[in-house]
Amino acid sequence: MKNLNSVFASILILISAISFSSCQDEVTTTYTYRAMMPVYLQMSDVRARTITIEPAHELENPGKIYLYGNYLLINEPQEGIHILDNTNPASPVNLNFIPIKGNVDLAVNNNMLYADNYVDLLVFDISNIRSIKLVERVKDVFNHLYTTSDTGVILTFKDTVLTSESDHGFMGRGFFLSDSRASFASNFSGAAQSYGQGGSMARFTLMSGHLYAVDDYSLRVFDVKNPAKPMHIRNINLGWGIETIFPFQENLFIGSNSGMHIYDAKTPSNPQKMSVFEHVRACDPVVVNEKFAFVTLRNGRNCFNGVNELQVVDIANLRQPKLVKAYPMLNPHGLALAGDFLYVAEGKHGLKSFNVANVMGIDQNQLEFLQSMKSVDIIPGPKSLIVIGPDGVCQFDYNTPSKLKKLSCINVKNPVNVQ
Amino acid sequence: MTTRLLILGFWIFAYLPAFGQNRPYFNQTELGVLIGNPIENWSGKNKNRVDFSLISFHGAEISKNQVLGLSVGLDQYEPLTVFPVALGWRGFLGKENRPQLIGGFDLGGGFALLEKKEKTEWYESWHQGGLLLSPSIGVKLPSTRGKKTALTMSIAYKRQELGYFMGNFDFNPTPRPFTNSKLPPGYSSITETTYLFHSLVARMGFIF
């Protein structure tokens, strides 16, 4: 009974103490957001740093994947290039890493690796993969990064996470919240588009002894007939929002926000515009064969196409491309064409394969639908089909195109997020 | 944390009948008001928070003057509806069949089950429950007719934590999670709000 008395007394004291102190509710709001912080760099400082080959790094955010002989070269955006030995696609070996700040793309020509280093183009001799050497620096070719070229200062952006705290918040479904939410979201989509998509990424491709690099608004042409000494020939203005470049039989197919540009590159040093196919938008990957271009259109957070489909475009007459047929898809991302076989990455829905010998009946010729293989991009390599998805960089044996066989997956620290 | 407490609570509740074989079932159900002092709004004013509160305690006697059990209920915090689930203790002071003092202590969690989880193309948001702690004191006035039924009046302090999460999705073309422990993969920004409500509760009800 005595114990109970003291319990009662303490409860009473507790309640009265709290009541009389008129305790106020507490609210803490933490806002954590991703922002692009501007970084100004003096190009002379960038050039002064020596590039030393480092031991293998773990893949964090793999960017472009390039196949060269038995090697896989994987870009780590803004950081450098991973080199993997892919002699046996069932167990690729991570060999080493070339640290190149500001690097977003690469291409290899006769054992010469081309890589961008902010405004410069670097050439590495990779004939001996264990002893990679920087052999050439072509200066000031991607000069759109300069704030003013005479000062030699470049502007880049660093992905940063910022946190702010406040002791005021909004209550649940309060009016403040529901109002602000909409504007928030739209602001963010706007902000993301201004850096995420185009950014200042160069996209490289090699064809007929020339290196073509596209950035936001131009096509830069380099003569690489002497692989160790690229020569910058010209810039061709393409309009804004350039995204991808796909070479095929002396033609360049350039994907932009406004459409697919087709350039005739029979004179490799001076590509000529042939036509623009307007229906294709930025996040619509394109693959091409002799007669047709295959394009995937998807509806997503950043790709407001309103449809999810595979379009077949007749390009027999490159000056007048025309839509042949469209097939409904689930949420198609990247695609790959290997002979008569087309592989479509369906995002979170999986991976599909088709026989496209008859372009009018692609839907009746679906070979496989691997629903467990979530994927965003596919590269048809000589030894394996490389599939990029939440599991990392995976390789499949596709000797029997209708039956894919998984060989390996390279783990990635931050795999793509498929939603 | 709250989920663990809840599991523990149910576990104890499930075992209560076992050691309460000849301990009669005890129920106390009360209705009342939650009074609190919210933070200033945008204009710097604050008006007292006065909301509805319901508690229903189910337990079994563990000794002559003590009951152990589980309390469930419904608390309103301005726009938020919270379902509290807590382990509870009740103690009685005074002679039987006469007005008695009741002391109580509840420890558990509050769950914002009615608050819908929202998910759109651009963002998702939800409310999170949180720890609940509530000591109470009151009087038990036995009815003149039935032996078991009694009227109760009590005051309590209630400390309720709640959380709100909103995440805006990452809009990059191939959304890559950004290496940062502060920002979960797939979001470009998140807003996390923690609420701590201090309330004084005044309730009336019955014991069966």
Side-chain angles (χ1 to χ4, degrees):
Chain A
M1 208 52 161
K2 216 168 190 181
N3 279 347
L4 217 50
N5 277 340
S6 49
V7 171
F8 269 78
S10 29
I11 292 174
L12 194 61
I13 291 164
L14 190 64
I15 295 173
S16 42
I18 292 160
S19 314
F20 288 112
S21 69
S22 74
C23 243
Q24 199 172 37
D25 293 342
E26 289 161 45
V27 180
T28 324
T29 299
T30 321
Y31 178 51
T32 308
Y33 57 103
R34 185 171 170 174
M36 299 304 278
M37 296 291 280
V39 179
Y40 292 90
L41 290 170
Q42 188 74 45
M43 219 30 226
S44 54
D45 294 344
V46 173
R47 287 171 186 149
R49 278 179 233 148
T50 32
I51 294 172
T52 328
I53 310 303
E54 294 173 5
H57 283 202
E58 185 190 1
L59 272 67
E60 281 196 29
N61 302 292
K64 179 164 174 173
I65 298 180
Y66 197 90
L67 293 143
Y68 184 67
N70 281 331
Y71 299 104
L72 277 180
L73 287 87
I74 303 177
N75 164 250
E76 191 71 53
Q78 305 293 336
E79 298 299 329
I81 297 165
H82 301 275
I83 297 179
L84 289 90
D85 183 346
N86 198 37
T87 310
N88 176 10
S91 80
V93 184
N94 197 344
L95 295 177
N96 42 28
F97 181 74
I98 315 176
I100 309 165
K101 289 285 175 194
N103 175 245
V104 289
D105 210 336
L106 66 143
V108 185
N109 180 23
N110 280 330
N111 284 327
M112 292 295 158
L113 163 68
Y114 304 129
D116 57 327
N117 171 216
Y118 299 118
V119 298
D120 294 352
L121 178 72
L122 306 184
V123 184
F124 292 89
D125 181 347
I126 57 164
S127 47
N128 178 359
I129 215 86
R130 304 266 168 200
S131 152
I132 297 166
K133 283 189 223 53
L134 175 65
V135 291
E136 179 73 13
R137 176 184 285 272
V138 188
K139 289 181 184 170
D140 301 333
V141 284
F142 305 109
N143 44 18
H144 60 290
L145 290 174
Y146 275 125
T147 49
T148 47
S149 51
D150 40 318
T151 56
V153 173
I154 53 165
L155 171 63
T156 64
F157 293 90
K158 190 175 165 30
D159 229 336
T160 320
V161 168
L162 301 172
T163 301
S164 67
E165 232 172 70
S166 104
D167 56 2
H168 276 67
F170 16 76
M171 276 287 275
R173 296 179 301 222
F175 67 95
F176 174 43
L177 184 62
S178 47
D179 277 350
S180 72
R181 195 147 43 186
S183 63
F184 237 92
S186 57
N187 276 349
F188 257 80
S189 66
Q193 275 189 340
S194 69
Y195 70 83
Q197 277 218 318
S200 46
M201 294 206 176
R203 313 286 159 111
F204 289 6
T205 196
L206 282 161
M207 191 170 78
S208 329
H210 286 72
L211 171 71
Y212 300 94
V214 291
D215 57 53
D216 286 3
Y217 51 86
S218 64
L219 171 66
R220 290 161 210 273
V221 187
F222 297 85
D223 181 335
V224 289
K225 284 194 211 82
N226 175 358
K229 285 245 177 275
M231 262 174 3
H232 182 208
I233 305 176
R234 71 180 79 240
N235 284 355
I236 297 167
N237 193 12
L238 295 173
W240 60 281
I242 299 303
E243 290 291 328
T244 56
I245 180 164
F246 189 91
F248 189 78
Q249 291 187 342
E250 302 190 316
N251 295 304
L252 293 170
F253 296 82
I254 298 166
S256 83
N257 280 332
S258 54
M260 179 174 72
H261 299 248
I262 304 176
Y263 272 75
D264 173 358
K266 281 190 192 67
T267 313
S269 59
N270 192 11
Q272 297 294 321
K273 186 175 192 165
M274 293 167 85
S275 56
V276 180
F277 184 66
E278 296 277 0
H279 299 276
V280 179
R281 297 268 176 260
C283 43
D284 311 335
V286 182
V287 289
V288 176
N289 66 19
E290 285 83 355
K291 289 183 189 152
F292 302 101
F294 298 88
V295 187
T296 54
L297 274 75
R298 74 172 186 274
N299 197 18
R301 284 188 209 135
N302 222 25
C303 315
F304 302 105
N305 276 312
V307 289
N308 286 303
E309 56 186 37
L310 171 71
Q311 292 192 347
V312 184
V313 180
D314 183 344
I315 51 161
N317 179 359
L318 287 166
R319 291 183 191 278
Q320 272 183 334
K322 54 178 190 287
L323 181 67
V324 177
K325 198 160 180 185
Y327 297 94
M329 292 277 145
L330 298 169
N331 192 22
H333 288 62
L335 73 175
L337 187 64
D340 278 340
F341 300 96
L342 181 75
Y343 300 91
V344 180
E346 281 270 38
K348 67 173 176 187
H349 303 286
L351 178 68
K352 280 180 183 167
S353 59
F354 298 94
N355 184 331
V356 293
N358 171 18
V359 293
M360 300 310 285
I362 293 178
D363 48 348
Q364 283 133 43
N365 289 302
Q366 180 172 312
L367 302 172
E368 265 190 299
F369 183 13
L370 305 169
Q371 288 178 321
S372 62
M373 194 57 217
K374 296 177 181 178
S375 53
V376 294
D377 207 0
I378 310 169
I379 305 162
K383 292 191 201 168
S384 63
L385 187 75
I386 300 174
V387 179
I388 295 123
D391 295 339
V393 179
C394 298
Q395 299 191 62
F396 287 83
D397 177 349
Y398 68 131
N399 286 320
T400 314
S402 59
K403 192 98 193 103
L404 294 180
K405 214 165 76 194
K406 197 184 221 171
L407 296 172
S408 65
C409 280
I410 306 164
N411 278 337
V412 168
K413 198 169 164 193
N414 296 319
V416 287
N417 194 11
V418 186
Q419 279 172 333
Chain B
M1 174 69 188
T2 41
T3 329
R4 265 186 232 164
L5 275 173
L6 189 69
I7 293 166
L8 184 73
F10 279 120
W11 186 83
I12 289 176
F13 196 57
Y15 274 76
L16 273 177
F19 65 104
Q21 299 249 310
N22 34 18
R23 316 265 186 218
Y25 167 73
F26 173 91
N27 175 291
Q28 180 189 17
T29 299
E30 290 182 313
L31 271 176
V33 286
L34 278 170
I35 304 157
N37 186 10
I39 57 155
E40 290 93 0
N41 64 10
W42 51 273
S43 61
K45 289 180 190 148
N46 71 336
K47 228 171 88 187
N48 270 355
R49 170 166 67 68
V50 182
D51 285 301
F52 170 80
S53 174
L54 166 77
I55 184 167
S56 182
F57 175 85
H58 306 264
E61 280 177 14
I62 51 166
S63 75
K64 200 180 156 222
N65 294 314
Q66 293 186 77
V67 177
L68 205 59
L70 194 73
S71 70
V72 291
L74 191 142
D75 290 326
Q76 192 70 33
Y77 294 92
E78 295 188 329
L80 298 176
T81 307
V82 174
F83 292 95
V85 179
L87 265 181
W89 166 88
R90 298 290 180 270
F92 306 92
L93 206 63
K95 285 198 182 108
E96 232 175 308
N97 302 327
R98 300 289 303 270
Q100 281 180 309
L101 273 179
I102 319 175
F105 194 86
D106 292 285
L107 180 67
F111 301 88
L113 299 176
L114 281 188
E115 307 306 323
K116 258 191 253 153
K117 182 174 171 158
E118 281 189 76
K119 187 168 180 173
T120 72
E121 208 175 318
W122 299 283
Y123 70 91
E124 60 183 341
S125 69
W126 62 81
H127 282 87
Q128 288 156 330
L131 193 74
L132 158 78
L133 182 150
S134 178
S136 62
I137 196 151
V139 286
K140 174 185 172 188
L141 307 165
S143 83
T144 44
R145 274 178 284 169
K147 235 186 171 185
K148 284 221 50 172
T149 318
L151 185 73
T152 64
M153 277 183 286
S154 47
I155 55 163
Y157 160 69
K158 195 167 241 181
R159 179 195 159 97
Q160 175 70 61
E161 290 174 11
L162 284 176
Y164 175 74
F165 176 92
M166 181 173 77
N168 287 296
F169 294 126
D170 197 341
F171 281 85
N172 279 335
T174 43
R176 291 250 182 225
F178 181 53
T179 333
N180 194 297
S181 53
K182 290 187 286 185
L183 198 60
Y187 298 110
S188 64
S189 72
I190 56 168
T191 308
E192 286 169 298
T193 308
T194 55
Y195 301 99
L196 174 57
F197 295 107
H198 301 283
S199 315
L200 183 71
V201 198
R203 296 187 294 235
M204 266 180 83
F206 295 95
I207 286 175
F208 301 102

